[in-house]
Amino acid sequence: MPADLAVIGLGPLGLPLAQAAVAAGIPTVGYRTGPEAGSLSPAELRRMLALGFRQATGPAELDRVRTAVLCVPTPRAPDGGLDLTQLESAARTLAGHMRPHTTVILESPVHPGTTEDFLRPLLEEVSGLRAGRDFHLAHSPSRVDPGNRAFTPANTPKVIGGLTPACTESAAAFYGRITDKVVRARGLREAETVQLLETNYRHVNIALVNEMAVLCHELGVDLWDVVRCAETKPFGFQAFRPGPGVGGHSVPQDLTAQGGRGLRMVELASQVNARMPRYVVQRAAALLNEHGKSARGARVLLLGVTYKADLADRQATPAEEIATGLMRLGAAVSYHDPHVPTWSVLDRPVPRADSLYEAAADADLTILLQQHRTYDLQGLSVKAQLLLDTRGATPTGAAHRL
């Protein structure tokens, strides 16, 4: 039986869409494009299979789907732009099996103009069909927030922009089966630029509060108390909190590498956020020194090495750069993370602590990098000899905060 929907790319963007689609009663086939980072528990997979999901065993299963959504990774390229290699491969595969009247939607993060100037010619060349006449083409920026239980695909508004008004309406009809609200953009480029704005908004504001963290430490000011007070303002302020760096799959986008106008604010924000792992290493060495210990030979325990709390995903996690910096100072680094059974840095396995409290008591310095739900931070602050909290998660006065 042909599926209504093909989700191409079963990573952190595609899997949540597939889950939402089958939950809405849409027969869905998932097509893997590589070793993607998305993962399902056995119980989640059984539920999806029971609701009509199946994983494609080959590209022939893309035949006759009504809607195909491309959710492949578009990572940072060496030149600073986006690497569209996986998108090109997925598009060619889809186009080779595409039928007239198919609705093709791109959810992968791309620069404005990519859907029309890059994806459209590929699809038309391989399929022999014409976008806007023989098939519908649209862009819908992904708004997946992994691990967020409050906002799901069902209650997160979906922005859609099509090549033509008919393309927009076809994509809107599909997403209307999944989400409570559909927002129509004026066109493809407007929809693509929504993600550009949303992603850069997050990175710029994180950079601001990271710079405030460094400044406040130098001034002897408790930044976390400053943020607590500032967020009581009912207008004109949204609270962001500092951290050891910015990870995840959504990279800040500057158009300079694509021959476009550079976004100076984004460039500066990227520089600030990229410095944070080194700043954490500096703070760690300074704390050890203040307590009569050298970084060389110090036992340092890292807690939480994923890029986000309560997830196993380590995409662009700052923990790797922090561990590297500490190792280069001569520290003996170990880690604890309930979601990561093994971890290697500099091609060497990092020892994993089995008992959190025993490891914290034994370490000269414990650094909280990620606030997993399972961590008892009150108990941890009592057991640890010296604790550096990069998330402001421990009780006031119980640890040294970033």
Side-chain angles (χ1 to χ4, degrees):
M1 177 182 176
D4 281 358
L5 168 67
V7 177
I8 302 174
L10 294 179
L13 305 184
L15 268 179
L17 174 62
Q19 286 181 291
V22 295
I26 301 173
T28 301
V29 60
Y31 185 81
R32 288 194 178 275
T33 59
E36 294 136 335
S39 61
L40 291 173
S41 69
E44 288 174 319
L45 180 57
R46 284 194 300 270
R47 176 172 171 77
M48 287 182 68
L49 293 171
L51 291 172
F53 175 75
R54 70 175 189 273
Q55 294 195 49
T57 56
E61 293 190 53
L62 300 177
D63 288 347
R64 293 185 293 167
V65 295
R66 297 177 183 176
T67 305
V69 184
L70 293 157
C71 300
V72 297
T74 51
R76 177 78 76 192
D79 66 358
L82 298 180
D83 183 351
L84 303 181
T85 304
Q86 294 183 66
L87 176 58
E88 178 179 357
S89 177
R92 290 186 180 279
T93 300
L94 170 64
H97 297 269
M98 205 163 67
R99 303 292 182 90
H101 311 301
T102 304
T103 299
V104 180
I105 305 167
L106 177 61
E107 282 206 7
S108 304
V110 292
H111 290 310
T114 303
T115 307
E116 183 170 4
D117 300 336
F118 179 83
L119 180 60
R120 177 185 180 180
L122 281 173
L123 296 174
E124 292 183 337
E125 174 193 351
V126 178
S127 71
L129 304 173
R130 183 175 173 183
R133 185 190 69 186
D134 304 317
F135 69 94
H136 297 297
L137 180 63
H139 183 88
S140 181
S142 176
R143 284 178 164 173
V144 171
D145 187 12
N148 192 325
R149 300 181 179 184
F151 293 102
T152 66
N155 65 0
T156 301
K158 208 72 172 81
V159 173
I160 297 152
L163 178 66
T164 66
C167 292
T168 299
E169 291 309 314
S170 180
F174 162 68
Y175 283 114
R177 302 169 67 186
I178 296 175
T179 187
D180 296 336
K181 184 176 182 180
V182 171
V183 180
R184 291 164 175 80
R186 182 167 292 180
L188 286 171
R189 291 171 186 260
E190 285 77 12
E192 291 166 327
T193 310
V194 167
Q195 187 136 51
L196 182 74
L197 176 60
E198 292 177 351
T199 299
N200 289 337
Y201 174 86
R202 172 176 175 260
H203 281 268
V204 166
N205 280 281
I206 290 174
L208 171 62
V209 78
N210 278 339
E211 280 214 300
M212 288 291 297
V214 176
L215 174 65
C216 285
H217 175 68
E218 293 172 353
L219 297 176
V221 172
D222 185 346
L223 170 69
W224 304 93
D225 192 57
V226 172
V227 174
R228 179 185 66 83
C229 294
E231 67 182 342
T232 63
K233 184 179 180 181
F235 55 89
F237 181 82
Q238 180 182 355
F240 284 78
R241 287 167 174 78
V246 180
H249 302 265
S250 186
V251 298
Q253 296 185 37
D254 188 349
L255 303 183
T256 308
Q258 305 298 119
R261 183 182 184 277
L263 298 173
R264 181 63 174 158
M265 189 73 72
V266 176
E267 180 185 345
L268 291 172
S270 297
Q271 293 172 5
V272 170
N273 291 331
R275 286 199 299 264
M276 289 309 291
R278 296 192 295 274
Y279 177 68
V280 172
V281 173
Q282 293 167 6
R283 285 288 305 277
L287 274 174
L288 286 166
N289 186 59
E290 289 169 11
H291 287 77
K293 297 180 183 294
S294 169
R296 181 170 297 280
R299 299 182 300 274
V300 180
L301 174 67
L302 304 181
L303 300 186
V305 298
T306 59
Y307 91 87
K308 192 172 184 182
D310 305 316
L311 297 177
D313 197 340
R314 300 196 308 277
Q315 175 72 26
T317 172
E320 184 165 342
E321 187 176 346
I322 291 168
T324 299
L326 291 167
M327 289 175 178
R328 287 175 174 162
L329 290 177
V333 177
S334 61
Y335 84 100
H336 181 279
D337 194 307
H339 304 282
V340 181
T342 60
W343 188 39
S344 293
V345 174
L346 298 176
D347 296 322
R348 300 199 304 266
V350 180
R352 184 178 189 271
D354 294 322
S355 172
L356 173 59
Y357 291 143
E358 288 181 13
D362 185 57
D364 297 309
L365 172 64
T366 299
I367 307 177
L368 178 67
L369 298 179
Q370 197 53 265
Q371 184 188 352
H372 292 311
R373 190 179 293 111
T374 55
Y375 286 157
D376 174 10
L377 300 180
Q378 179 70 55
L380 177 66
S381 62
V382 172
K383 292 288 186 181
Q385 293 187 45
L386 186 60
L387 178 60
L388 174 59
D389 177 5
T390 70
R391 297 290 178 178
T394 52
T396 301
H400 299 270
R401 290 182 170 182
L402 193 63

